[in-house]
Amino acid sequence: PYLCEERRVRANDREYNEKFQYASNCIMTSKYNIITFLPVNLFEQFQEVANTYFLFLLILQLIPQISSLSWFTTIVPLALVLTITAVKDATDDYFRHKSDNQVNNRQSQVLIRGLLQNEKWMNVRVGDIIKLENNQFVAADLLLLSSSEPHGLCYIETAELDGETNMKVRQSVSVTSELGDQNNLSSFNGEVVCEPPNNKLDRFCGTLYWRDKKYTLTNQNMLLRGCVLRNTEACYGLVIFAGPDTKLMQNSGRTKFKRTSIDRLMNTLVLWIFGFLVCMGVILAIGNAVWEREVGSLFQSYLPWDPPVDNFLFNAFLSFWSYVIILNTVVPISLYVSVEVIRLGHSYFINWDQHMFCSQCNTAAEARTTTLNEELGQVEYIFSDKTGTLTQNIMSFNKCSINGQTFGKYPLGPQPKRLDFTPFNPLADLDFCFYDDTLLESVKVGDLHTQEFFRLLSLCHTVMSEEKSEGELVYKAQSPDEGALVTAARNFGFVFRSRTPGTISTTEMGRPATYTLLAILDFNNIRKRMSVIVRNAEGRIRLYCKGADTVLLERLHPCNQELTNITSDHLNEYAADGLRTLALAYRDLTEDEWEAWSESHRCADKATDCREDRLAAAYEQIEQDMMLLGATAIEDKLQEGVPETIAVLSLANIKIWVLTGDKQETAVNIGYSCKMLTDDMTEVFIISGHTVQSVRQELRSVSLTGRTAACPPSSWSTLPCPPPPPPPPPPPPSNLMDNISGEFALIINGHSLAHALEADMETEFLSTACACKAVICCRVTPLQKAQVVELIKKHKKAVTLAIGDGANDVSMIKSAHIGVGISGQEGIQAVLASDYSFSQFRFLQRLLLVHGRWSYLRMCRFLCYFFYKNFAFTMVHFWFGFFCGFSAQTVYDQYFITLYNIVYTSLPVLAMGIFDQDVPDHRSLEYPKLYEPGQLNLLFNKKEFFICIAQGIYTSVVLFFVPYAVLSDASQSNGVPLADYQTFAVTTATALVIVVSVQIALDTGFWTVINHVCVWGSLGSYFTIMFALHSQSLFRIFPNQFHFVGSAQSTLLQPVVWLTIALATAICIVPVLAFRFLKLDLKPQLSDTVRYTQLVRQKKRKPGRLGARGGSRRSGYAFAHQEGFGELITSGKNMRLSSMALASFASRHSSGWIDTLRRKKHTSAQHLGGVQSSTQLCLWVSSSTLKLLLCSGRLTRYTY
Amino acid sequence: MASSYNAKEEDGHHSGAPAHGGAAAAAAKSKKPDNTAFKQQRLPAWQPILTAGTVLPAFFVIGLIFIPIGIGLFVTSNNIREFEVTATPTRDTSNVFMYYGLSNFYQNHRRYVKSRDDSQLYGDRSALTNPSKECEPYRMSDGQAIAPCGAIANSLFNDTLELYHIDSNGTRNTIPLVKKGIAWWTDKHVKFRNPGGNNNLTAAFRGTSKPVNWRKPVYDLDPSDPDNNGFINEDFIVWMRTAALPTFRKLYRIIQKKAVTTPTLPSGRYVLNISYNYPVLSFDGRKRMILSTISWMGGKNPFLGIAYITVGSICFFLGVVLLIIHHKYDTRNNSADIPN
């Protein structure tokens, strides 16, 4: 019985599973195949309104009474457009086919009838058991059955799935983990009943029925497609979901089609033009009715009405449609294609830009969406992720203070020499960089404090090591900070080699040493410290502790006072440099003390209620009276050029919001180091309330402070953390926030953000946030990131850009107008969802200020000119209507009408749209203000559109009436009158082509060879093609198609014709020239910009402020967001069962550590906002002038 | 979408401690974009800007060119003599061209313009007996194809004009009117051709019928001159070249100059004899007869000269105004470094 609510899978039973017809593991992202391509693609294309419209016109043209133009005038451009689009679609689909094939043809080992067979991925079925090996991709969503590791554990990396690079642990159900080898597995016939496919990555619920028993299955037992197996030799899994049913595929929903604001404007304008077209059609039809009644009816002796048309009204009705056909060129079909071509060109320029190529990771920038380029020139809000985007997520051991002495000065000079550790220490990590050789000397001479310092670093951590061959150590750390510290110790001679649940083996200054690990007092966000208690070879027991200085310095023995003061100064110094600091201390324990504490710890550990609190109390008890060893400073390395980029972007009036899942303090720390937050700011507001009420109050107090901010910079202590200040009076309408003075920054926590984003508070939040110069949202969920973006999109009508690198940024990347993915170290989910990708945050300034700006400029100029040239072209028919009885007679030859848009005038404007530059790239970076016209939408808007239209109509008037006035009475030099239709047509057409060519020449600001070729080539092609079409030979073959035989020659040989053309050109161009000159002369667009940049430069050069204030200390016990592997280590679960002793040790803790871990994570997360902020805020908010100087120094250099 | 994650598979994902991917990186080709001027958008380019130094002289130059041309045109045009029906001929020694003019006649109406069959006029035999549908309703008559078909041909202008000079004795002297050389060369020699050559037109047009309004068939248009008969009759060709505007004139005859010294049309009294066949009153049309001489620039055309003078003057004037404005309100000199 098949229920769609659940899925039943029986292992090793293909027949049974086939009944349900589950999706196979073959994925198909392509849309067409060879047979379906043509019909499906055409069907899709004709769903576009524009294409259908032209098809409709084509049908109209087939009616002889209506047809004012030959059918080919429409079908040629339409076919061209359809072909170009089809080719593009086909290419895209080809690549999709290719990548589908590649994935589908990957090999995986499937257990069939007890034997492992290689199968392609696409042939894997639901219910199969497959074997995975280390570093392999998981082929489908699997239920983990057994693993080569003890306890059915296996490690996976989920970067592709959720962007997190740290490893995760999965464990199989205990009954299946015992199955072990293939023989047992092939006879396994358990049945899984579980939920139907869904896209929830962190949830799975199902039941395994086997041997009449039920076992509950959770996400902890699942290996999802897209994960990579790590640190696990092999494992076996049962395929539960395959192909399109997998969570990965369920999550990769179709991306929303993004449109730019120019697109939307263009669509509106096209609708207006349609309206205009209909109006003109109506006017001319009315004219036709009047004419046919007054004149046409009398003229019937020479020109009778067509037999089916017997009255003037019907005539007028037909004439309406005829005019719709000939006037439809005001919205030429080539508009959309040309726009796409230009955007494609711009995308290639982005792909080709060497300045956006990162040589380290060998990746060039990539425009993944080719339709958004000009919107890059209009961005007002940037939403940035922190980790991996602003920072490299690489921690480097930078400085340290040992026993009151500071080490790690960065030597001056162009090429500072890196310390070479290898002669001293063969186990050193070659990637480690350190420049201060005094520290190395100090270790070498055997300074006790220094040695103890590094011994602590080599012992007090939860890093796990892997030694593949002798000396080749690989550390696996929960947080990069820890890795950096242990690596530092390694290089300075204290090498952590391996650990067992009860021991730590190191090599100290070349001698192996083993410590008995008595206890790990693990890190959590409340304690902000971790300790280990070890017994050394001599039997001495010592507690080593490292932690945030705020908590650690309080717990020192009083005799440390002097050292504490010195170290504190050092810590301040480090913090001012934007480094993350840790204080280190130790305490000697006597055997008795240890025994006593050990007992109390055991009690706490066994307690069933309040275990957490009791443990914490026990830890607290022993971490007292410690002796200070020193402090470390770790640099959370910013990506290259981040502060400069942020500075330049904010000069371009782009607001940058950082949205990060990170802790508040880390986020703020980075905020300072990348210069978003500065000590010059009037105030930095923190919103971290947990309830709707408190958040509202905090927001209101911010607006109050904002409005009264004329007073001197207020002290940091007013920061509104819990307890909340007394309720302020209800605030007046919040838009007052717009005119506040001073610079503010807003930091808001995830849980507060949840309240702030509720419907009744969002406007309040928005106005507050927008009044602030910098906004940092920390601890936000991926969904909230998207919500913030949506909020701005909804209320601000501004173009938003989201930049991130992890899967947690995907939602915001998708919801922002433009999504940028950093193709860096984390997975490539973000890149896949993004519209643009590159590998360094700093490329953003080039993408926006250079490419975006150019694209916008080019697109605007293109559109202006395009509408102009088509109005100039088409409106001539309108005027002619008044002289030809409103009969929808065209002014030009039908071939000219066909070719005007696609040959004679297409290339010059395309060349301009692709290559034009107003200022060179370095200038746009130098004067970020040049970016502003895009944000304000100045270059192409409704006003500009009307100006273009007006100019086009003016041109059409000139182009019709000047030849009219000249030619009506003129004659050739042999007496033949010039006022025949064909001469008139050739004269007008030639004048038109020349006028629009002169106009494009005026519009083009950057004449490359290509522009020259296009402009001159178009003119040349016009004359060549015209002479060819009017030639005798063509006429002789098709006398009925080429009526204009001889016209070109006979017309263009007449001096009067050329005088007419020159006159018309002068009348069209002179006013434009005068107007442009006046505008440039009286209201130059760039002067403001130049003046402003001059000002900024001077400001930057201003000396002073050096060392005026100490930096705000931003201690970051920046271990990961969660606990380390501490419990896993002591439980021994991750260790190989090499000996029975260990086995018995492990079995004591055999169950439920994962549950404990999760529970802890949960509680600590809840504590985090409130408690942390209260202790930390006052510290980090003060200044970091040194850093500022550093940045401005760089800036000055940067902008020369 | 999902498929793309394979892209990085070979590179190996780094997790935890950094792994050395040196070998792999060396093997991988550099994806660095080419450093060409085109790809880096550094093509050498001419970047013109509108400055006072370029725009103002341009205005003056346009003015200086246009005004003399305008004056020249104006003078030339004034030297041309053009006379309508009640004209007094001149002492001009050049050819005099005789036009007929029609007004309110819509030769440019869409249905009119397309109502012809160029294949038939080109002498195509099949089109002769089976003309294009465009010719409706002047396509068939009494079951026979009309040649030439269509509304244009049907409405052929068929007044005849004769000009007499009354000499001092009061006798009428017929002024010889040349009826050839009035059509475009390509029309006469390429576009229009009689079916089966020019011999025995009657036979060639057998099986066709004359246009409804015509009095005589096409092969009797000018029986005296086989080179001007049938489709290649020049009066017919001239009519078939439709006018662009509802008021138009068409070349009718040429009065050849006699000698260098004697005027083509000496002063005196003239009589214009019109055999009135062509009805225009029904549609409120008018007929005219024009005599005109011709210069290098064609016929009399006062508009062009005046327009040139006007445009030239405006340019000149604009130049002056802009110069003044530029000197008075120039703001650009303040900001020295506008990028250029």
Side-chain angles (χ1 to χ4, degrees), chain A residues 102 106 249 887 975 1043 1059, chain B residues 2 6 41 99 110 118 279 308:
Chain A
Q102 199 194 340
R106 276 193 205 156
M249 295 303 291
S887 60
H1043 309 293
L1059 287 171
Chain B
N6 57 330
Q41 304 195 60
Y99 301 91
R110 178 166 58 90
D118 278 340
Y308 261 83

Side-chain angles (χ1 to χ4, degrees), chain A residues 18-66:
Chain A
E18 258 158 27
K19 281 195 300 194
F20 304 106
Q21 298 183 335
Y22 295 133
S24 81
N25 204 32
C26 178
I27 56 162
M28 199 172 79
T29 54
S30 54
K31 284 201 282 191
Y32 322 104
N33 60 38
I34 290 175
I35 301 158
T36 61
F37 175 75
L38 207 62
V40 174
N41 186 261
L42 280 181
F43 177 72
E44 278 176 359
Q45 288 203 43
F46 279 114
Q47 282 177 327
E48 297 260 333
V49 182
N51 291 342
T52 323
Y53 167 72
F54 285 102
L55 191 69
F56 168 69
L57 284 183
L58 188 66
I59 294 165
L60 275 185
Q61 287 182 29
L62 296 176
I63 304 170
Q65 277 78 22
I66 289 176

Side-chain angles (χ1 to χ4, degrees), chain A residues 440-708:
Chain A
L440 190 56
E441 285 308 308
S442 172
V443 178
K444 278 182 182 162
V445 299
D447 179 75
L448 284 179
H449 284 102
T450 315
Q451 295 206 346
E452 198 62 16
F453 179 89
F454 285 115
R455 184 171 292 127
L456 185 150
L457 291 183
S458 71
L459 295 175
C460 179
H461 55 77
T462 56
V463 172
M464 288 187 276
S465 76
E466 200 178 321
E467 194 161 357
K468 285 178 179 154
S469 61
E470 178 68 26
E472 195 191 322
L473 280 168
V474 177
Y475 290 143
K476 295 226 157 51
Q478 260 285 334
S479 83
D481 297 48
E482 265 208 326
L485 290 176
V486 180
T487 308
R490 169 181 171 182
N491 278 40
F492 283 101
F494 288 77
V495 188
F496 165 66
R497 299 293 291 260
S498 66
R499 64 162 81 238
T500 69
T503 58
I504 298 174
S505 309
T506 61
T507 304
E508 294 186 347
M509 307 301 291
R511 287 183 303 275
T514 305
Y515 293 84
T516 314
L517 178 64
L518 299 176
I520 295 180
L521 287 59
D522 205 357
F523 168 84
N524 73 30
N525 282 310
I526 306 157
R527 284 163 38 77
K528 294 185 174 27
R529 60 187 185 272
M530 79 163 285
S531 307
V532 292
I533 303 175
V534 294
R535 192 198 300 271
N536 67 6
E538 290 97 60
R540 205 176 64 214
I541 302 176
R542 191 168 263 192
L543 175 142
Y544 289 109
C545 180
K546 64 179 179 186
D549 45 28
T550 43
V551 290
L552 201 122
L553 295 184
E554 292 168 2
R555 292 172 172 77
L556 295 179
H557 194 272
C559 70
N560 283 300
Q561 194 54 49
E562 202 180 326
L563 181 58
T564 310
N565 288 341
I566 302 171
T567 311
S568 273
D569 288 346
H570 289 159
L571 284 168
N572 279 334
E573 234 172 73
Y574 300 157
D577 289 347
L579 304 174
R580 287 148 71 132
T581 55
L582 280 181
L584 313 182
Y586 70 94
R587 177 187 174 187
D588 282 318
L589 297 175
T590 63
E591 200 68 37
D592 295 341
E593 277 172 318
W594 158 245
E595 285 299 337
W597 182 80
S598 173
E599 187 55 40
S600 69
H601 175 241
R602 214 165 5 243
C603 282
D605 197 24
K606 280 183 181 153
T608 45
D609 53 333
C610 308
R611 178 172 174 273
E612 298 291 314
D613 297 345
R614 285 176 183 223
L615 274 178
Y619 292 163
E620 187 78 34
Q621 191 191 337
I622 194 123
E623 288 166 332
Q624 293 293 343
D625 293 332
M626 296 183 286
M627 304 296 291
L628 185 62
L629 265 176
T632 60
I634 285 179
E635 188 181 356
D636 183 359
K637 274 201 169 165
L638 283 182
Q639 293 214 356
E640 216 177 309
V642 167
E644 293 89 333
T645 306
I646 288 182
V648 169
L649 290 178
S650 36
L651 282 180
N653 216 11
I654 301 173
K655 292 170 198 75
I656 301 171
W657 293 27
V658 171
L659 309 177
T660 173
D662 239 334
K663 291 187 295 185
Q664 181 177 309
E665 57 193 43
T666 328
V668 170
N669 201 336
I670 292 301
Y672 274 99
S673 60
C674 62
K675 238 197 130 201
M676 277 184 65
L677 305 177
T678 61
D679 292 319
D680 295 345
M681 287 189 155
T682 322
E683 195 154 341
V684 177
F685 302 106
I686 313 278
I687 308 232
S688 57
H690 276 274
T691 63
V692 182
Q693 275 309 312
S694 58
V695 172
R696 192 188 299 273
Q697 275 168 6
E698 283 171 19
L699 272 175
R700 286 186 181 162
S701 67
V702 169
S703 1
L704 276 181
T705 331
R707 252 174 275 125
T708 54

Side-chain angles (χ1 to χ4, degrees), chain A residues 887-996:
Chain A
S887 60
Q889 174 62 29
T890 57
V891 178
Y892 320 106
D893 179 14
Q894 53 186 344
Y895 299 104
F896 180 76
I897 293 174
T898 314
L899 298 177
Y900 175 76
N901 262 316
I902 56 179
V903 178
Y904 302 148
T905 59
S906 63
L907 288 180
V909 69
L910 276 183
M912 180 185 76
I914 294 175
F915 300 106
D916 209 37
Q917 299 179 11
D918 56 343
V919 297
D921 50 352
H922 62 271
R923 289 277 169 169
S924 13
L925 292 172
E926 200 175 333
Y927 302 118
K929 275 282 160 189
L930 286 169
Y931 192 72
E932 250 178 15
Q935 293 169 326
L936 302 175
N937 224 347
L938 291 182
L939 298 184
F940 188 74
N941 47 40
K942 285 169 185 157
K943 189 182 140 216
E944 291 295 323
F945 169 73
F946 282 119
I947 292 175
C948 303
I949 297 301
Q951 195 195 340
I953 293 176
Y954 167 74
T955 307
S956 73
V957 170
V958 173
L959 285 178
F960 179 75
F961 286 99
V962 167
Y964 170 79
V966 178
L967 298 184
S968 55
D969 284 332
S971 50
Q972 294 185 4
S973 41
N974 62 2
V976 177
L978 277 171
D980 67 291
Y981 169 73
Q982 295 187 344
T983 306
F984 192 84
V986 172
T987 311
T988 320
T990 311
L992 174 71
V993 169
I994 287 174
V995 167
V996 297

